[in-house]
Each structure stands twice: as C-alpha cells, then as structure tokens.
Amino acid sequence: MPHRPTPHRVRLRTVLALATAGVIGAGAAVFFNGSASAGTTLGASAAEKGRYFGAAVAAGKLSNSTYTGILDREFNMITPENEMKWDATEPSQGQFRYTSADQIVAHAQAHGQRMRGHALTWHQQQPGWAQSMSGTALRNAMINHITNVAGHYKGKIYAWDVVNEAFADGGSGGRRDSNLQRTGNDWIEVAFRTARAADPGAKLCYNDYNTDGINAKSTGIYNMVRDFKSRGVPIDCVGFQSHLGGLPPSDYQANLQRFADLGVDVQITELDISGSNQANAYAAVVKACLAVSRCTGITVWGIRDSDSWRTGENPLLFDGNGNKKAAYTSTLNALNGPGSTVSTPPVSSPPVSSSPSNPGGSGCTAVVTLNQWDGGFVANIRVTAGSAALNGWTVTVTLASGATITNAWSADRSGGSGTVRFTNVAYNGQVGAGQSTEFGFQATGSGAGLSPTCAGR
Ligand code: G2I
C-alpha cells in the first residue's frame, strides 16, 4: 500500500502557454490563438491544454446518477479502479471475464471518454491460481494474460499500465520481490513487448507510487526506462500515482521532467491528497503537469470522498454528496492558468479566407489543441455549432506528409494519412446552437500546421 510522504513545499515554475489553435467556420477564419479560453469543467479545461482529466471508476457505481452526472460532466478519461486487474479478468486460468470492464468501456464510448487500462501485471490482485504459480508456468501465464486482455481491448485503450508497482520501497532502488520477479529480471520487458504486440496503438506505461520526487525508487525506475529506450524495449509512458498527504515534493516537476527528457510521456495516474493544505496541493500538482509538455494528463483515484480507497481521509475533489470542494476550484483554476500546450514551436497560421467553408450548410468551427512529442502527437478537436444547431458534422484535416493516424476516438474517420475526414458518431452528432463536442486522434509524425475545417448538417 502506498506510503504517504510528508508534505513538502513545492517551487512552482510556470511556462508560457503555447496554444496552437486553428479555427475555421462559417466565415472560414483561421487564426493562431496564443491563449486558451477558460473552461468550466476539469475535462474541458485540461483539453484546452492538450491534456485529459480522468477519474478511477467502479462499474458497480455506474447506476448511481449522482456519480455518473459528475463523471460525464467533468472527466474525459476513465481508469477502471479494479475491473481490468488480473483477478477480475482471468479468475480461472484461461477463462476470461470482461463483463464489468466492458461495462466501463461501453460507458466511456457512449460519453466520448477515453480509457486508461489498469493493470496488466501486478504482484497484488492476482487470481489465486496465479499466486501459487512460479517459473516458466507463471511467465507463460503472464504472457497469455497480457495477450488476451490487451487483445480484447485492442484499439479501445489510450494507455495501459502494463506493469504496476514492481520496484521496492526504501533506499535500494531495486525491484520488489514477487512471484513475477522470481521468474527472471526480464519479466518487465517481456510484459511490455507482449503488450505492444497485442495492441500496437496503445501507449504502454510503467506505473508506481512513492515516485513523486527524485528518490532511490524513482531513480531505479528512471534507470530502467533509460535502459529500455536505449535497447528498443517498447515503453511510452510512466505513471506517477501521486497518493499524497499534502503538497507534492519540491522536486515533483523536476522529477516528471527528467523522465520526459528520456523520451516518454508522463501521467499523474492515481491522484488523491489528504490534509488541510489539500486545495493548494492539488493546484501545485496541476501546475507541475502543465509545466511539463510531455505530461499528458491527470487522473484522480475516485470521484467523491466516499468513493476513495482512503476511507475517512476525504482526499478527492467532490464531497460525499457530490458537491465541489475547495480543491475542485483550485484544480480548475490551475488548469485554466498558464501551461505548455505543445512541445514544439507553433507554426505560422494559414491565410485567412473570407469565403464560407460550407455555403448552404450549418456553420461550425473546429479548433485543434495539439500535444506534440518527438515522433507523434495527439490532436483534440473541439467542434462548436454556430447560430444554428447541427444534425451532424464532418471535420476535414490534412495531415503533414509522413503523419499517420494510429488511434481515434469519438468520431468515425475515412483514411489515416493525407486528407482525412472525421464524421460524428451516433451520440455526438446533434450539437445545439453555440454548443460544443470533442473528438480526437493520435498519430505518428508531426501535427504542425493542422487546420481542420468543419462542415455541419
Ligand atoms: O491501493 C490504492 C491503489 C494503489 N495503486 C494501484 C491501484 O490499483 C490501487 O487501487 C486500489 C483500489 O482503489 C481498491 O479498491 O486497489 C485495491 C486493491 O489493492 C482495491 O481494493 C480492493 C479491496 O482490497 C478488495 O477487498 C475489494 O474486493 O477492492 C476490491 C473491489 O472493491
């Protein structure tokens, strides 16, 4: 169980926002926008910075309308709190059970939310049959498990926690003892290679706790990631759980940055914060993530205090009745503050045209927010109806040469490179006058200069 570190004071460093926003609408105006507007929900505000804001969700609570009301209003990424773990998905060897996890994925798809998968391998929450296995039999069972579960969700997961909590606490900086570790030190890279083969479009993360500052444990993980990158072991991201007891450590941002500098994304994966300085501490975490261009999003580990695994500590953003807490407001304000949106310099905007892009059709605008890293990017596109409601929309994007889409969400698409057309899916085609909906995609290559055009029906 994660240890809760002593609160530290954090030095905040803010970085000027570099928001690349291409807008084209009924008037077909295209412009470069240097600052994002202030969103009114966690998800929308994070999206304006090219990031997501997620929550851990329990399938058993999806019938609670207070719970889903908050979930669908505020969050655009979902991590199943327990439903994708080994004991839940493979209760008997070779017999896979996806009912609860599928329910969560269906909910996410119906509400335009993306999924983080958690967790393909972990020393905890193994089914009894795996707990009593060892050696080659366990190694093969692990490979079979990853192949099946990541295969079942292929194309539906933004990022997988492939390996969870494999490093030891304390000063050793080494691996934690476990039945998986005893199958051989290469078990982690085997897990990552197996996951890549099963779902090549998912980002593959290593996830752990007590790694929030620069310490022996986080340095052990840092050395592993550096080794993986140098040997071509497929790893795309590192998750920092951030179960905190106050302000994050003063070197929190520097720690995220040193991992990002290795060429991986970083994500805050299980955030919850106890203590009287909660509101400031949440803001400090958000600001640190916004200051690191490869910090792609933040997930809180539950919605209401009553949903938290930390019983009695009230570490979340909503109280037991679903009311917003002070920590919610400080989080939202921090998301609306300065932060990096792209890690590459903005490109010059295309010329402004005065002719309507869709004469005779309903007007709409499409604004793109980019999160670019070396070799790939995520584009979030916000479709906003003009003065008339839309009964459907098509957004056309021309990708730079060499850019190829690997994954898209909340829209149907034709093609994966060159000129690509995205059309609404069933649930997001009807957009009220002045209202918005979002979709997005992930691609290899460069997203520089993307300027989507929108046509409404
Ligand atoms: O321990 C907090 C988190 C640390 N990082 C990995 C996460 O996966 C972990 O999540 C927690 C869940 O929030 C709990 O809900 O993992 C726990 C298990 O280690 C989860 O608790 C378990 C209870 O121990 C079980 O008795 C219960 O059946 O939740 C299960 C489902 O409600």
Side-chain angles (χ1 to χ4, degrees), residues 19 45 104 125 153 164 203 232 240 269 282 296 301-302 344 402 404 453:
S45 294
I104 298 179
Q125 282 180 281
Y153 291 109
N164 193 40
K203 284 180 179 282
F240 298 82
T269 50
Y282 267 101
T296 60
W301 205 242
T344 52
T404 304
T453 61

Side-chain angles (χ1 to χ4, degrees), residues 357-384:
S357 63
N358 56 335
S362 304
C364 53
T365 61
V367 178
V368 63
T369 310
L370 274 190
N371 189 14
Q372 176 82 55
W373 59 90
D374 284 349
F377 65 94
V378 165
N380 280 298
I381 299 181
R382 187 173 193 80
V383 174
T384 304

Side-chain angles (χ1 to χ4, degrees), residues 46-301:
E48 285 179 354
K49 296 282 166 48
R51 293 171 171 83
Y52 63 82
F53 207 97
V57 162
K61 293 175 182 166
L62 290 175
S63 53
N64 178 317
S65 61
T66 307
Y67 185 82
T68 55
I70 303 170
L71 172 62
D72 300 336
R73 186 186 73 221
E74 299 286 345
F75 298 98
N76 50 22
M77 185 72 76
I78 291 179
T79 307
E81 189 173 358
N82 289 295
E83 291 78 353
M84 285 188 179
K85 291 171 181 174
W86 198 346
D87 60 348
T89 49
E90 196 181 358
S92 312
Q93 187 170 13
Q95 294 188 356
F96 293 87
R97 187 178 63 186
Y98 297 115
T99 327
S100 302
D102 282 355
Q103 246 181 298
I104 298 179
V105 173
H107 183 98
Q109 289 184 335
H111 295 87
Q113 292 143 330
R114 287 187 284 162
M115 293 291 306
R116 290 193 84 264
H118 173 83
L120 290 170
T121 64
W122 190 20
H123 64 281
Q124 281 186 33
Q125 282 180 281
Q126 292 182 1
W129 62 265
Q131 286 175 33
S132 55
M133 280 179 114
S134 62
T136 308
L138 176 60
R139 175 66 68 91
N140 289 337
M142 174 191 88
I143 292 170
N144 188 52
H145 178 74
I146 295 171
T147 301
N148 275 275
V149 177
H152 179 78
Y153 291 109
K154 182 178 177 178
K156 297 178 177 169
I157 303 290
Y158 160 71
W160 264 112
D161 291 332
V162 177
V163 173
N164 193 40
E165 301 176 8
F167 275 71
D169 289 310
S172 76
R175 300 283 182 86
R176 169 196 299 281
D177 179 51
S178 73
N179 58 348
L180 289 165
Q181 182 61 31
R182 290 190 293 268
T183 68
N185 205 51
D186 64 342
W187 76 275
I188 296 184
E189 61 190 85
V190 169
F192 276 86
R193 291 189 202 279
T194 307
R196 180 67 99 223
D199 185 358
K203 284 180 179 282
L204 305 181
C205 303
Y206 176 83
N207 188 51
D208 215 325
Y209 66 90
N210 276 357
T211 51
D212 308 303
I214 297 175
N215 57 37
K217 187 174 178 180
S218 64
T219 298
I221 296 163
Y222 176 87
N223 289 336
M224 177 186 76
V225 173
R226 190 173 54 186
D227 170 53
F228 280 13
K229 294 300 279 186
S230 74
R231 290 190 295 115
V233 177
I235 184 166
D236 307 304
C237 37
V238 175
F240 298 82
Q241 295 185 8
S242 302
H243 296 292
L244 299 172
L247 289 171
S250 56
D251 52 5
Y252 188 69
Q253 181 184 318
N255 190 43
L256 297 177
Q257 187 65 56
R258 72 171 174 153
F259 278 87
D261 291 344
L262 290 176
V264 288
D265 288 347
V266 295
Q267 301 167 0
I268 312 304
T269 50
E270 304 185 12
L271 182 63
D272 49 20
I273 309 177
S274 61
S276 56
N277 208 12
Q278 183 177 62
N280 289 332
Y282 267 101
V285 169
V286 171
K287 287 174 184 176
C289 178
L290 292 184
V292 175
S293 60
R294 291 198 72 152
C295 181
T296 60
I298 298 173
T299 295
V300 287
W301 205 242

